Amino acid sequence: MTSVNAQGLAPWQDAARTTGERVESLLAELTLEEKVAQLGSVWFQTGETGNVAPLQDRFAVADGPEERLRYGLGHLTRVYGTAPVSPAEGAARLRALQEQVRSANRHGIPAIAHEECLTGFATYGATAYPTPLAWAATFDPGLIERMAEAIGADLRAAGVHQGLSPVLDVVRDYRWGRVEETLGEDPYLAGQLGAAYVRGLESAGIIATLKHFAGYAASRLGRNQAPVSIGPRELADVILPPFETALREGGARSVMNAYIDLDGVPVGANPHLLRRLLREEWGFDGTVVADYWSIPFLASMHGVAEDLAAAGALAMLAGIDVELPETHGYGGHLVAHVRAGRVEEALVDDSVRRVLRQKIELGLLDTDRLVPPTADDLDLDSPRNRDLAATVAERSIVLLGNTGAVLPLDAATTSTIAVIGPCADDPRTLLGCYAFPNHVLDRYPGHGTGLPIPSVRERLAAEFPSAELPYALGADVAGDDASGIGPAAELAARADLALLFVGDRAGLFGGGTSGEGCDAADLRLPGLQPDLVEAVLATGTPTVLVVVSGRPYALGAYKDRVAAAVQAFFPGVEGGTALAGVLSGRVNPSGRLPVQIPASPAINPSTYLQPPLGRRTEGITVLDPTPAYAFGHGLSYSRIEYLALATGPARCPTDGEIEARVTVRNAGDRPAEEVVQLYASDPVAQVARPALQLIGFARVPLEPWQTRTVAFDVPADAFSYTGVELRRIVEPGTITLAAGPSADEPPLRAVIRLTGEIRELRGARRLTTTTRLLAD
């Protein structure tokens, strides 16, 4: 019989005890069925047609809530995010479901409620922030941490406990549909921005979930969920570092497995990744949650399990703690496996410990008010949110080129500005695929967008009240209707200037040109948009090409023919205002490319992280992968000069630290923010290394004609890599440091020498180059 204290509380109910004591006390009380129930989930869906998760319609559960909640529950899936509900309706539903969960199990243990939060709280009427690729374009971890803290505060105020974000997949092929969800193609940048997002979410009391562990973005041909054939060195040096950084320096408490098979082994059945690497080597003690349906997929898609029951056993043995979004492979199947001796109960106990610890940390066992009363009146699109969304959007927009010096626009000398293209007057083209209007509301056409989203055209009219702004669609984002191209070209021909807005409309599983399941065959602009661009350029009217997209499209054919070019990666609900501000000059652009902009749509896409033979090689091949615009590129309306790179000491031990000081000057009459980037190259190593790789960056505010110096404290660990014996090492030898505004031939260079013996890195390592702005 359970002992109770003077207040009548069992040890697991006593908040004065340690979390570990409470976990062990409660675990000892649970039957096997009750333990396994803590590893399952329920998704009470609406019955509407259309999927927001892959093959969702194939996994409908017929059982009623009584049977599904009989022994308890680990997670409630997307109570707010499945259908358009107001905060009050969502809160009432969550309260009712939590009460059902508590009353159905004899210990009254509530469930963890999780939601998507990739571009903000994915629910009706909540602020849709810029997509993660836009976060990466800011190169501003502090801003992203503040944004994530605001997202987390909204989630927590609604009674939500876990957010399924951030995505830390490193882009390997721009054709992949989910590029928009990533933090770009560089592992250091992705790790820094990802850790910042995690810190913000976790500071608000929300469990951050790193996904998709690991290798998802490296699928063959850029196809969603296709097999991944990378080697162990690419996995270790490119794919894994952002996850390690977000765990060690961000403090994420959950990880979600990737759908893919890695060299033939599905990640959901891979104990090497989920147990040995994640837990034993990295020391992760949080939960591993299954990506939606990935446990059933072990049987139905990967063919490594005979049926659902076998899939559940494989997943538990591999290291998945919680099955999402519904219980199919765990539940009764897992109970039977334990009783038959096929799965050790100790493994189940370890997973349950992790789940119970999180429930105690979240305070779920210490309150009857699981959903705060204030949830009924939440403003999920508050002025605070809008301000943050606007700031992220403004700092993410990239000025690619301005050869015609037409930007910023001068309405006084440009009386007629033709506004053309499918992304000019469609608010949804500003949003990513996980923004609620694109993610869910396409199934509910009567609900509109759920919140105000001014289009670019609307904001241009406000920005230039005295200018004539005639508009033409030209061509839709996708489709084969060319009837509008001729009239759009005629409109451009009569104007002083043409603003041409092209790009993507995000959706899911073929419902858009970017997003989950919306992979591209090549990197041409979708649909008839290339024909529209050519028709407008043929008029001879100076044209500003503005690409609003979820992936980089090949712009080599237009680079030298447009007067200016701008790239915006789904800039969110305030994206129209931000774009208008950049075009007018009210905002001095400071975004930088987190992915290259390719020159050719047909050459096999490759990122900037290439050894010499992965770059242009005259006399070896006629195929030139040189991009139209390099990683890190971005201009402003000021001219920034790179004056000096000073390093010290010149010789550094393999366990030491180098200081690199970069001095820049604003040689213009506008305030600006320059993203100073520090790269390293290892010209002689055990294996072929990238010609250069980002190891540090800093946003530097500069007043007109101001000179400033930023110091980078670079640990020798930043030069580590996976050697021929597949061990991470720092080896003695020459390292070249380069500083500049992009990865395209940084103008400042310095050589240092690492000294001493080859050093093998085991366990924790220094993952971040710290920066300091020095006094003027």
Side-chain angles (χ1 to χ4, degrees), residues 652 656-660 678 680 695-696 712-719 737 752 766 768-770:
C652 171
E657 180 180 275
I658 294 286
E659 182 189 68
L678 185 67
I695 60 169
F712 295 87
D713 298 317
V714 186
D717 293 6
F719 310 122
L737 298 179
I752 62 169
R766 289 183 62 184
T768 296
T769 295
T770 57

Side-chain angles (χ1 to χ4, degrees), residues 685-709:
Q686 291 183 5
V687 300
R689 299 284 293 133
L692 78 172
Q693 184 166 0
L694 185 71
I695 60 169
F697 60 88
R699 286 184 74 100
V700 181
L702 292 164
E703 293 299 319
W705 305 103
Q706 184 182 22
T707 298
R708 300 193 74 176
T709 298

Side-chain angles (χ1 to χ4, degrees), residues 631-699:
F631 173 86
H633 172 76
L635 305 176
S636 76
Y637 297 140
S638 296
R639 183 168 61 89
I640 307 301
E641 297 175 342
Y642 279 74
L643 302 179
L645 168 61
T647 61
R651 299 172 66 85
C652 171
T654 54
D655 61 353
E657 180 180 275
I658 294 286
E659 182 189 68
R661 295 188 175 194
V662 181
T663 302
V664 293
R665 179 172 63 200
N666 180 359
D669 56 6
R670 289 172 176 262
E673 286 201 20
E674 175 68 1
V675 178
V676 177
Q677 301 159 47
L678 185 67
Y679 294 88
S681 60
D682 189 351
V684 180
Q686 291 183 5
V687 300
R689 299 284 293 133
L692 78 172
Q693 184 166 0
L694 185 71
I695 60 169
F697 60 88
R699 286 184 74 100

Side-chain angles (χ1 to χ4, degrees), residues 352-595:
V352 176
R353 283 187 180 95
R354 289 187 277 267
V355 172
L356 294 179
R357 184 174 67 247
Q358 289 186 346
K359 290 187 174 185
I360 291 170
E361 290 172 348
L362 291 163
L364 300 190
L365 303 189
D366 302 321
T367 181
D368 291 327
R369 288 189 170 184
L370 295 169
V371 181
T374 52
D376 299 312
D377 302 310
L378 276 180
D379 181 0
L380 296 176
D381 191 32
S382 64
R384 173 203 61 180
N385 292 5
R386 284 282 175 162
D387 287 346
L388 280 165
T391 303
V392 176
E394 289 174 357
R395 295 188 187 181
S396 72
I397 294 171
V398 183
L399 177 60
L400 298 175
N402 195 18
T403 54
V406 297
L407 295 181
L409 298 176
D410 184 352
T413 60
T414 310
S415 59
T416 304
I417 303 172
V419 179
I420 297 170
C423 296
D425 203 33
D426 181 354
R428 292 194 181 192
T429 62
L430 300 170
L431 310 181
C433 74
Y434 269 76
F436 198 80
N438 288 340
H439 195 69
V440 172
L441 289 182
D442 62 329
R443 299 185 295 153
Y444 299 87
H447 286 73
T449 58
L451 74 170
I453 311 173
S455 70
V456 182
R457 183 187 176 196
E458 290 177 70
R459 300 316 301 162
L460 285 170
E463 199 82 25
F464 301 105
S466 62
E468 291 184 37
L469 298 169
Y471 164 73
L473 172 67
D476 204 350
V477 167
D480 56 6
D481 183 0
S483 62
I485 294 178
E490 293 173 7
L491 186 72
R494 296 193 299 268
D496 300 313
L497 180 84
L499 297 177
L500 180 52
F501 296 87
V502 296
D504 282 318
R505 184 183 296 111
L508 296 171
F509 311 113
T513 57
S514 174
E516 186 173 0
C518 298
D519 312 311
D522 58 42
L523 294 174
R524 294 176 179 85
L525 287 165
L528 296 180
Q529 292 181 92
D531 295 344
L532 174 63
V533 175
E534 291 292 347
V536 171
L537 291 179
T539 66
T541 298
T543 298
V544 178
L545 182 66
V546 182
V547 183
V548 184
S549 63
R551 67 165 60 82
Y553 285 104
L555 302 182
Y558 317 129
K559 178 180 179 181
D560 297 326
R561 299 160 60 201
V562 296
V566 174
Q567 173 70 58
F569 295 111
F570 290 146
V573 292
E574 290 293 327
T577 305
L579 275 166
V582 166
L583 294 172
S584 73
R586 176 174 51 80
V587 175
N588 196 354
S590 61
R592 299 294 183 264
L593 289 175
V595 288

